[in-house]
Short mmCIF file of all heavy atoms in Angstrom, two decimals:
data_model
loop_
_atom_site.label_atom_id
_atom_site.label_comp_id
_atom_site.label_asym_id
_atom_site.label_seq_id
_atom_site.Cartn_x
_atom_site.Cartn_y
_atom_site.Cartn_z
N ILE A 22 -8.41 7.21 -8.19
CA ILE A 22 -8.66 6.87 -9.59
C ILE A 22 -8.75 5.35 -9.69
O ILE A 22 -7.73 4.65 -9.56
CB ILE A 22 -7.55 7.41 -10.52
CG1 ILE A 22 -7.25 8.89 -10.21
CG2 ILE A 22 -7.93 7.22 -11.98
CD1 ILE A 22 -8.43 9.82 -10.30
N GLY A 23 -9.96 4.85 -9.87
CA GLY A 23 -10.21 3.40 -9.85
C GLY A 23 -11.12 3.08 -8.68
O GLY A 23 -10.88 3.53 -7.55
N SER A 24 -12.16 2.30 -8.96
CA SER A 24 -13.19 2.04 -7.94
C SER A 24 -13.31 0.56 -7.62
O SER A 24 -14.34 0.11 -7.14
CB SER A 24 -14.54 2.56 -8.44
OG SER A 24 -14.85 1.96 -9.69
N GLY A 25 -12.24 -0.21 -7.92
CA GLY A 25 -12.29 -1.65 -7.71
C GLY A 25 -11.85 -2.04 -6.30
O GLY A 25 -12.11 -1.32 -5.33
N ASN A 26 -11.18 -3.19 -6.20
CA ASN A 26 -10.80 -3.73 -4.89
C ASN A 26 -9.97 -2.75 -4.09
O ASN A 26 -10.26 -2.47 -2.92
CB ASN A 26 -9.99 -5.02 -5.09
CG ASN A 26 -10.83 -6.15 -5.62
OD1 ASN A 26 -11.94 -6.37 -5.16
ND2 ASN A 26 -10.31 -6.86 -6.60
N ILE A 27 -8.92 -2.22 -4.70
CA ILE A 27 -7.99 -1.40 -3.93
C ILE A 27 -8.50 0.04 -3.83
O ILE A 27 -8.46 0.65 -2.75
CB ILE A 27 -6.54 -1.50 -4.50
CG1 ILE A 27 -5.53 -0.94 -3.52
CG2 ILE A 27 -6.40 -0.89 -5.84
CD1 ILE A 27 -5.27 -1.85 -2.37
N GLY A 28 -9.01 0.58 -4.93
CA GLY A 28 -9.55 1.94 -4.89
C GLY A 28 -10.71 2.04 -3.92
O GLY A 28 -10.79 2.97 -3.11
N GLY A 29 -11.60 1.06 -3.98
CA GLY A 29 -12.77 1.08 -3.09
C GLY A 29 -12.37 0.96 -1.63
O GLY A 29 -12.90 1.67 -0.77
N ILE A 44 -14.17 9.79 -6.36
CA ILE A 44 -13.77 8.63 -7.16
C ILE A 44 -13.66 9.09 -8.62
O ILE A 44 -14.63 9.58 -9.19
CB ILE A 44 -14.83 7.51 -7.06
CG1 ILE A 44 -15.08 7.11 -5.59
CG2 ILE A 44 -14.40 6.31 -7.90
CD1 ILE A 44 -13.88 6.55 -4.87
N GLY A 45 -12.47 8.94 -9.17
CA GLY A 45 -12.26 9.26 -10.58
C GLY A 45 -12.50 8.01 -11.41
O GLY A 45 -11.83 7.00 -11.21
N ALA A 46 -13.48 8.07 -12.31
CA ALA A 46 -13.86 6.88 -13.08
C ALA A 46 -14.09 7.22 -14.54
O ALA A 46 -14.46 8.35 -14.87
CB ALA A 46 -15.13 6.27 -12.47
N ARG A 47 -13.88 6.19 -15.38
CA ARG A 47 -14.17 6.40 -16.81
C ARG A 47 -15.65 6.68 -16.99
O ARG A 47 -16.03 7.49 -17.82
CB ARG A 47 -13.76 5.16 -17.61
CG ARG A 47 -12.27 4.95 -17.64
CD ARG A 47 -11.88 3.83 -18.57
NE ARG A 47 -12.21 2.50 -18.04
CZ ARG A 47 -11.78 1.37 -18.55
NH1 ARG A 47 -11.03 1.40 -19.63
NH2 ARG A 47 -12.10 0.20 -18.01
N ASP A 48 -16.49 6.00 -16.19
CA ASP A 48 -17.93 6.24 -16.25
C ASP A 48 -18.43 6.42 -14.82
O ASP A 48 -18.80 5.46 -14.15
CB ASP A 48 -18.62 5.04 -16.92
CG ASP A 48 -20.13 5.20 -16.94
OD1 ASP A 48 -20.63 6.27 -16.53
OD2 ASP A 48 -20.81 4.26 -17.38
N LYS A 51 -21.67 4.68 -13.56
CA LYS A 51 -21.75 3.21 -13.51
C LYS A 51 -22.27 2.76 -12.14
O LYS A 51 -21.86 3.30 -11.11
CB LYS A 51 -20.34 2.64 -13.72
CG LYS A 51 -20.25 1.49 -14.68
CD LYS A 51 -18.80 1.14 -14.90
CE LYS A 51 -18.62 -0.36 -14.83
NZ LYS A 51 -17.24 -0.76 -15.01
N ASP A 53 -21.64 0.29 -10.09
CA ASP A 53 -20.71 -0.08 -9.00
C ASP A 53 -19.97 1.14 -8.47
O ASP A 53 -19.61 1.19 -7.28
CB ASP A 53 -19.75 -1.21 -9.42
CG ASP A 53 -18.90 -0.88 -10.61
OD1 ASP A 53 -19.23 0.09 -11.33
OD2 ASP A 53 -17.91 -1.58 -10.86
N VAL A 54 -19.76 2.15 -9.31
CA VAL A 54 -19.13 3.39 -8.84
C VAL A 54 -20.10 4.12 -7.90
O VAL A 54 -19.72 4.59 -6.82
CB VAL A 54 -18.74 4.30 -10.03
CG1 VAL A 54 -18.16 5.62 -9.53
CG2 VAL A 54 -17.75 3.59 -10.94
N ILE A 70 -12.23 11.25 -14.62
CA ILE A 70 -10.88 11.20 -14.06
C ILE A 70 -10.22 12.58 -14.04
O ILE A 70 -9.67 13.01 -13.02
CB ILE A 70 -10.02 10.16 -14.83
CG1 ILE A 70 -10.58 8.75 -14.58
CG2 ILE A 70 -8.55 10.24 -14.42
CD1 ILE A 70 -9.93 7.65 -15.41
N PHE A 82 -3.60 6.49 -7.64
CA PHE A 82 -3.92 5.66 -8.80
C PHE A 82 -4.14 4.22 -8.36
O PHE A 82 -3.26 3.62 -7.73
CB PHE A 82 -2.80 5.74 -9.84
CG PHE A 82 -2.81 7.05 -10.59
CD1 PHE A 82 -1.87 8.03 -10.31
CD2 PHE A 82 -3.77 7.30 -11.55
CE1 PHE A 82 -1.88 9.24 -10.99
CE2 PHE A 82 -3.80 8.52 -12.24
CZ PHE A 82 -2.85 9.49 -11.96
N ALA A 83 -5.31 3.67 -8.71
CA ALA A 83 -5.68 2.29 -8.38
C ALA A 83 -6.36 1.65 -9.58
O ALA A 83 -7.47 1.13 -9.49
CB ALA A 83 -6.59 2.28 -7.16
N VAL A 84 -5.68 1.74 -10.73
CA VAL A 84 -6.17 1.15 -11.98
C VAL A 84 -5.15 0.09 -12.42
O VAL A 84 -4.04 0.03 -11.86
CB VAL A 84 -6.36 2.23 -13.08
CG1 VAL A 84 -7.37 3.28 -12.63
CG2 VAL A 84 -5.04 2.88 -13.46
N PRO A 85 -5.46 -0.73 -13.39
CA PRO A 85 -4.46 -1.71 -13.84
C PRO A 85 -3.15 -1.03 -14.26
O PRO A 85 -3.18 0.03 -14.90
CB PRO A 85 -5.14 -2.38 -15.04
CG PRO A 85 -6.61 -2.22 -14.77
CD PRO A 85 -6.74 -0.89 -14.10
N GLY A 86 -2.03 -1.64 -13.90
CA GLY A 86 -0.74 -1.04 -14.24
C GLY A 86 -0.59 -0.78 -15.73
O GLY A 86 -0.03 0.24 -16.14
N ALA A 87 -1.13 -1.69 -16.55
CA ALA A 87 -0.99 -1.54 -18.01
C ALA A 87 -1.73 -0.31 -18.53
O ALA A 87 -1.43 0.18 -19.62
CB ALA A 87 -1.51 -2.80 -18.70
N ALA A 88 -2.71 0.18 -17.74
CA ALA A 88 -3.48 1.36 -18.17
C ALA A 88 -2.80 2.66 -17.76
O ALA A 88 -3.26 3.75 -18.15
CB ALA A 88 -4.89 1.30 -17.57
N MET A 89 -1.74 2.58 -16.97
CA MET A 89 -1.15 3.80 -16.40
C MET A 89 -0.51 4.74 -17.42
O MET A 89 -0.70 5.97 -17.33
CB MET A 89 -0.16 3.44 -15.29
CG MET A 89 -0.85 3.09 -13.97
SD MET A 89 -1.77 4.48 -13.29
CE MET A 89 -0.46 5.45 -12.58
N ASP A 91 -1.30 5.47 -20.48
CA ASP A 91 -2.35 6.27 -21.13
C ASP A 91 -3.06 7.18 -20.12
O ASP A 91 -3.36 8.34 -20.42
CB ASP A 91 -3.41 5.34 -21.76
CG ASP A 91 -2.91 4.73 -23.06
OD1 ASP A 91 -1.84 5.16 -23.55
OD2 ASP A 91 -3.58 3.82 -23.57
N THR A 92 -3.32 6.64 -18.92
CA THR A 92 -4.07 7.42 -17.92
C THR A 92 -3.28 8.65 -17.49
O THR A 92 -3.80 9.77 -17.52
CB THR A 92 -4.39 6.54 -16.68
OG1 THR A 92 -5.09 5.38 -17.12
CG2 THR A 92 -5.24 7.29 -15.67
N ASP A 107 1.16 6.11 -6.26
CA ASP A 107 1.04 5.01 -7.21
C ASP A 107 0.84 3.71 -6.44
O ASP A 107 1.78 3.16 -5.87
CB ASP A 107 2.31 4.94 -8.07
CG ASP A 107 2.30 3.75 -9.03
OD1 ASP A 107 1.21 3.20 -9.29
OD2 ASP A 107 3.39 3.39 -9.52
N ALA A 108 -0.41 3.22 -6.44
CA ALA A 108 -0.72 1.93 -5.80
C ALA A 108 -0.88 0.82 -6.83
O ALA A 108 -1.29 -0.28 -6.49
CB ALA A 108 -2.00 2.06 -4.98
N THR A 109 -0.53 1.10 -8.08
CA THR A 109 -0.77 0.14 -9.16
C THR A 109 0.40 -0.85 -9.27
O THR A 109 1.53 -0.53 -8.93
CB THR A 109 -0.93 0.85 -10.51
OG1 THR A 109 0.33 1.43 -10.91
CG2 THR A 109 -1.99 1.93 -10.45
N ASN A 110 0.09 -2.03 -9.80
CA ASN A 110 1.12 -3.01 -10.07
C ASN A 110 0.99 -3.50 -11.50
O ASN A 110 -0.10 -3.91 -11.91
CB ASN A 110 1.01 -4.21 -9.11
CG ASN A 110 1.44 -3.82 -7.71
OD1 ASN A 110 2.45 -3.14 -7.53
ND2 ASN A 110 0.68 -4.24 -6.71
N ASN A 111 2.08 -3.43 -12.22
CA ASN A 111 2.11 -3.97 -13.58
C ASN A 111 2.65 -5.38 -13.47
O ASN A 111 3.85 -5.63 -13.64
CB ASN A 111 3.00 -3.08 -14.46
CG ASN A 111 2.50 -3.04 -15.88
OD1 ASN A 111 1.76 -3.93 -16.31
ND2 ASN A 111 2.89 -2.02 -16.61
N ILE A 112 1.75 -6.29 -13.10
CA ILE A 112 2.16 -7.67 -12.81
C ILE A 112 2.72 -8.32 -14.09
O ILE A 112 2.13 -8.24 -15.15
CB ILE A 112 0.95 -8.49 -12.30
CG1 ILE A 112 0.33 -7.82 -11.06
CG2 ILE A 112 1.35 -9.93 -12.00
CD1 ILE A 112 1.20 -7.80 -9.84
N ALA A 117 7.21 -3.06 -11.85
CA ALA A 117 5.81 -3.16 -11.42
C ALA A 117 5.17 -1.79 -11.25
O ALA A 117 3.96 -1.64 -11.40
CB ALA A 117 5.72 -3.94 -10.12
N ARG A 134 5.36 5.87 -3.86
CA ARG A 134 5.07 4.46 -4.16
C ARG A 134 4.59 3.83 -2.86
O ARG A 134 5.39 3.69 -1.90
CB ARG A 134 6.33 3.77 -4.67
CG ARG A 134 6.17 2.30 -5.00
CD ARG A 134 5.18 2.07 -6.09
NE ARG A 134 5.22 0.72 -6.63
CZ ARG A 134 4.18 0.17 -7.22
NH1 ARG A 134 3.02 0.81 -7.32
NH2 ARG A 134 4.27 -1.04 -7.74
N ALA A 135 3.31 3.48 -2.80
CA ALA A 135 2.74 2.98 -1.54
C ALA A 135 1.46 2.20 -1.84
O ALA A 135 0.92 2.26 -2.95
CB ALA A 135 2.42 4.14 -0.60
N PHE A 136 0.96 1.49 -0.84
CA PHE A 136 -0.31 0.76 -0.91
C PHE A 136 -0.32 -0.31 -2.01
O PHE A 136 -1.39 -0.61 -2.54
CB PHE A 136 -1.49 1.73 -1.12
CG PHE A 136 -1.66 2.75 -0.02
CD1 PHE A 136 -1.39 4.08 -0.26
CD2 PHE A 136 -2.06 2.37 1.24
CE1 PHE A 136 -1.52 5.02 0.74
CE2 PHE A 136 -2.22 3.30 2.26
CZ PHE A 136 -1.93 4.64 2.00
N ASN A 137 0.84 -0.84 -2.35
CA ASN A 137 0.87 -1.82 -3.45
C ASN A 137 1.40 -3.18 -3.03
O ASN A 137 1.36 -4.11 -3.83
CB ASN A 137 1.77 -1.29 -4.59
CG ASN A 137 3.24 -1.26 -4.19
OD1 ASN A 137 3.59 -0.58 -3.24
ND2 ASN A 137 4.07 -1.99 -4.90
N ILE A 138 1.89 -3.33 -1.78
CA ILE A 138 2.66 -4.55 -1.47
C ILE A 138 1.84 -5.66 -0.83
O ILE A 138 2.35 -6.76 -0.64
CB ILE A 138 3.89 -4.23 -0.58
CG1 ILE A 138 3.47 -3.67 0.78
CG2 ILE A 138 4.83 -3.28 -1.30
CD1 ILE A 138 4.64 -3.51 1.77
N TYR A 139 0.56 -5.38 -0.49
CA TYR A 139 -0.30 -6.40 0.11
C TYR A 139 -1.60 -6.51 -0.68
O TYR A 139 -2.00 -5.57 -1.37
CB TYR A 139 -0.70 -6.02 1.55
CG TYR A 139 0.43 -5.72 2.50
CD1 TYR A 139 0.35 -4.63 3.35
CD2 TYR A 139 1.55 -6.54 2.58
CE1 TYR A 139 1.37 -4.35 4.25
CE2 TYR A 139 2.58 -6.27 3.47
CZ TYR A 139 2.48 -5.17 4.31
OH TYR A 139 3.48 -4.90 5.19
N GLY A 140 -2.32 -7.62 -0.50
CA GLY A 140 -3.68 -7.72 -1.01
C GLY A 140 -4.58 -6.74 -0.28
O GLY A 140 -4.34 -6.40 0.89
N PHE A 141 -5.65 -6.33 -0.95
CA PHE A 141 -6.52 -5.26 -0.42
C PHE A 141 -7.16 -5.62 0.92
O PHE A 141 -7.47 -4.75 1.72
CB PHE A 141 -7.60 -4.91 -1.45
CG PHE A 141 -8.63 -5.99 -1.65
CD1 PHE A 141 -9.82 -5.99 -0.92
CD2 PHE A 141 -8.43 -7.03 -2.55
CE1 PHE A 141 -10.77 -6.98 -1.09
CE2 PHE A 141 -9.36 -8.04 -2.72
CZ PHE A 141 -10.53 -8.02 -1.99
N GLU A 142 -7.32 -6.93 1.19
CA GLU A 142 -7.93 -7.34 2.47
C GLU A 142 -7.14 -6.80 3.66
O GLU A 142 -7.69 -6.54 4.72
CB GLU A 142 -7.97 -8.87 2.58
CG GLU A 142 -8.73 -9.59 1.47
CD GLU A 142 -7.85 -9.92 0.27
OE1 GLU A 142 -6.79 -9.28 0.07
OE2 GLU A 142 -8.23 -10.83 -0.47
N PHE A 144 -5.54 -3.99 3.72
CA PHE A 144 -5.81 -2.56 3.90
C PHE A 144 -7.16 -2.37 4.59
O PHE A 144 -7.33 -1.47 5.39
CB PHE A 144 -5.78 -1.82 2.56
CG PHE A 144 -4.47 -1.94 1.83
CD1 PHE A 144 -4.41 -2.37 0.53
CD2 PHE A 144 -3.28 -1.62 2.48
CE1 PHE A 144 -3.20 -2.49 -0.14
CE2 PHE A 144 -2.06 -1.73 1.82
CZ PHE A 144 -2.02 -2.17 0.52
N LEU A 196 6.50 -6.50 -2.52
CA LEU A 196 5.39 -7.06 -3.30
C LEU A 196 5.74 -8.46 -3.79
O LEU A 196 4.93 -9.40 -3.67
CB LEU A 196 5.10 -6.14 -4.49
CG LEU A 196 4.18 -6.69 -5.57
CD1 LEU A 196 2.75 -6.76 -5.07
CD2 LEU A 196 4.26 -5.82 -6.83
N TRP A 199 5.72 -10.82 -0.94
CA TRP A 199 4.34 -11.07 -0.51
C TRP A 199 3.68 -12.09 -1.45
O TRP A 199 3.07 -13.06 -1.00
CB TRP A 199 3.54 -9.77 -0.48
CG TRP A 199 2.17 -9.94 0.12
CD1 TRP A 199 1.82 -9.88 1.43
CD2 TRP A 199 0.95 -10.26 -0.60
NE1 TRP A 199 0.47 -10.13 1.60
CE2 TRP A 199 -0.08 -10.37 0.36
CE3 TRP A 199 0.65 -10.47 -1.94
CZ2 TRP A 199 -1.40 -10.66 0.02
CZ3 TRP A 199 -0.67 -10.77 -2.28
CH2 TRP A 199 -1.67 -10.87 -1.31
N PHE A 200 3.83 -11.90 -2.75
CA PHE A 200 3.25 -12.83 -3.73
C PHE A 200 3.82 -14.24 -3.55
O PHE A 200 3.09 -15.23 -3.59
CB PHE A 200 3.53 -12.35 -5.16
CG PHE A 200 2.36 -11.64 -5.78
CD1 PHE A 200 2.27 -10.25 -5.75
CD2 PHE A 200 1.34 -12.35 -6.38
CE1 PHE A 200 1.18 -9.60 -6.30
CE2 PHE A 200 0.24 -11.70 -6.94
CZ PHE A 200 0.17 -10.32 -6.91
N ARG A 210 -3.70 -14.80 1.48
CA ARG A 210 -3.67 -13.34 1.24
C ARG A 210 -3.67 -12.53 2.54
O ARG A 210 -3.30 -11.35 2.52
CB ARG A 210 -4.86 -12.93 0.39
CG ARG A 210 -4.82 -13.47 -1.03
CD ARG A 210 -6.08 -13.07 -1.80
NE ARG A 210 -6.25 -11.65 -1.90
CZ ARG A 210 -5.80 -10.91 -2.94
NH1 ARG A 210 -5.20 -11.48 -3.96
NH2 ARG A 210 -6.00 -9.60 -2.96
N1 NAP B 877 -6.44 -6.21 -5.58
C1 NAP B 877 -5.40 -6.04 -4.72
O1 NAP B 877 -5.35 -6.69 -3.68
C2 NAP B 877 -4.34 -5.01 -5.02
C3 NAP B 877 -3.43 -4.66 -4.01
C4 NAP B 877 -2.46 -3.69 -4.26
C5 NAP B 877 -2.39 -3.10 -5.51
N2 NAP B 877 -3.27 -3.48 -6.49
C6 NAP B 877 -3.17 -2.84 -7.81
O2 NAP B 877 -4.21 -1.87 -7.86
C7 NAP B 877 -4.69 -1.76 -9.20
C8 NAP B 877 -6.18 -2.04 -9.20
O3 NAP B 877 -6.41 -3.36 -8.74
P1 NAP B 877 -7.87 -3.82 -8.30
O4 NAP B 877 -7.74 -5.17 -7.74
O5 NAP B 877 -8.53 -2.75 -7.50
O6 NAP B 877 -8.58 -3.92 -9.75
P2 NAP B 877 -10.12 -3.94 -10.08
O7 NAP B 877 -10.92 -4.35 -8.90
O8 NAP B 877 -10.24 -4.73 -11.34
O9 NAP B 877 -10.46 -2.40 -10.41
C9 NAP B 877 -9.81 -1.77 -11.45
C10 NAP B 877 -10.33 -0.34 -11.57
O10 NAP B 877 -9.57 0.30 -12.62
C11 NAP B 877 -10.48 0.83 -13.59
N3 NAP B 877 -9.90 0.68 -14.91
C12 NAP B 877 -9.67 -0.46 -15.59
N4 NAP B 877 -9.08 -0.20 -16.76
C13 NAP B 877 -8.94 1.14 -16.82
C14 NAP B 877 -8.41 2.03 -17.79
N5 NAP B 877 -7.90 1.57 -18.95
N6 NAP B 877 -8.43 3.36 -17.53
C15 NAP B 877 -8.94 3.83 -16.38
N7 NAP B 877 -9.47 3.03 -15.41
C16 NAP B 877 -9.46 1.71 -15.64
C17 NAP B 877 -11.76 0.02 -13.45
O11 NAP B 877 -12.81 0.85 -13.86
P3 NAP B 877 -13.88 0.47 -14.98
O12 NAP B 877 -15.12 0.17 -14.22
O13 NAP B 877 -13.97 1.71 -15.80
O14 NAP B 877 -13.36 -0.71 -15.75
C18 NAP B 877 -11.79 -0.25 -11.95
O15 NAP B 877 -12.36 0.83 -11.26
C19 NAP B 877 -3.89 -2.76 -10.03
O16 NAP B 877 -2.81 -2.07 -10.62
C20 NAP B 877 -3.41 -3.76 -9.00
O17 NAP B 877 -2.22 -4.42 -9.39
C21 NAP B 877 -4.26 -4.41 -6.26
#
Side-chain angles (χ1 to χ4, degrees):
I22 312 303
S24 56
N26 291 315
I27 194 75
I44 304 298
R47 292 187 287 191
D48 177 5
K51 225 174 135 181
D53 59 344
V54 177
I70 294 173
F82 286 105
V84 300
M89 282 297 282
D91 283 351
T92 304
D107 176 19
T109 69
N110 288 317
N111 213 339
I112 303 294
R134 179 62 167 155
F136 299 111
N137 69 300
I138 63 172
Y139 305 136
F141 70 93
E142 301 89 338
F144 301 127
L196 168 72
W199 187 87
F200 260 96
R210 293 177 60 93

